[in-house]
Amino acid sequence: MKKTRTIKKIFIKYSLIYVGSVIFTFFISSLYVEKNIIQTMENYNILYSLLSIILKNTFSFLFLIYGSMNNKYIIYSWLVGNGIILGSLISKFAHFSYMILILPHGIFEMFSYIYLCTIISSWKNNNGNKISVFFQENKKKLIYLYILLILAATIEVLITPTLAVRFLL
């Protein structure tokens, strides 16, 4: 029971760090950034986009795991850095309805990454830096989270453009 509470606390802490950096950056950027209106989506290669996103997510997934084993600040840097990127992007949206470009896949993607950070921190607090043992003990969770990232990429490539055309153009 205590371990579950600890995991929940870590997850909430990381979620607040991420969301806080998004909100902070959004408000700061909104003062200086010009709003953009979406244009048409021509020459959109679905397979290339899907593979590109999966490759970037795989790199980020592995970077978080390996980097965090040696440096506890990697997680904080990653959360704040991605929060700043998302906050800057949102500040450029001409309308709130543009959130349709982020929310369908972003919920799965960010849950996966924040939960990954939670697993890493919780495990490191109890076990240290042994990466091979980490993979062995967390194999199922890591596979589920990676599948969730692939699902997010699939939604981003296949569903989000359809929603954008339907609701924004």
Side-chain angles (χ1 to χ4, degrees):
M1 187 71 166
K2 184 179 179 189
K3 185 176 181 179
T4 304
R5 274 193 231 155
T6 303
I7 289 172
K8 284 180 183 178
K9 284 181 181 179
I10 294 170
F11 184 82
I12 290 170
K13 177 177 91 171
Y14 288 154
S15 296
L16 290 174
I17 289 170
Y18 179 75
V19 171
S21 61
V22 169
I23 292 170
F24 177 77
T25 305
F26 169 77
F27 285 119
I28 297 299
S29 295
S30 292
L31 300 173
Y32 304 103
V33 173
E34 182 178 322
K35 304 294 182 189
N36 291 329
I37 296 175
I38 199 167
Q39 303 296 323
T40 60
M41 297 177 349
E42 297 174 9
N43 300 324
Y44 182 69
N45 185 328
I46 292 172
L47 183 60
Y48 174 78
S49 297
L50 181 62
L51 292 176
S52 174
I53 292 167
I54 289 173
L55 182 65
K56 290 174 187 172
N57 284 348
T58 301
F59 175 77
S60 193
F61 191 82
L62 294 173
F63 172 77
L64 272 172
I65 293 170
Y66 286 105
S68 300
M69 289 298 160
N70 297 318
N71 185 342
K72 68 180 181 179
Y73 297 110
I74 293 290
I75 290 176
Y76 296 111
S77 301
W78 190 93
L79 291 168
V80 171
N82 279 281
I84 288 170
I85 291 167
L86 182 60
S88 297
L89 176 68
I90 293 171
S91 72
K92 293 181 180 184
F93 290 167
H95 306 288
F96 184 75
S97 60
Y98 281 36
M99 291 296 287
I100 198 96
L101 299 171
I102 295 172
L103 288 178
H105 75 279
I107 292 169
F108 296 108
E109 190 172 326
M110 290 322 304
F111 173 81
S112 180
Y113 282 127
I114 292 171
Y115 195 68
L116 175 64
C117 293
T118 303
I119 291 169
I120 293 167
S121 290
S122 174
W123 190 85
K124 273 186 68 171
N125 290 342
N126 298 322
N127 301 302
N129 293 2
K130 297 179 183 113
I131 193 90
S132 60
V133 178
F134 173 78
F135 277 110
Q136 288 173 354
E137 291 183 8
N138 295 288
K139 187 180 350 179
K140 282 185 181 178
K141 289 178 186 176
L142 294 173
I143 290 170
Y144 291 139
L145 291 174
Y146 189 71
I147 289 171
L148 202 56
L149 282 177
I150 292 172
L151 174 65
T154 305
I155 291 170
E156 185 174 0
V157 170
L158 298 178
I159 296 173
T160 302
T162 305
L163 293 172
V165 167
R166 183 169 181 169
F167 294 107
L168 299 177
L169 296 179

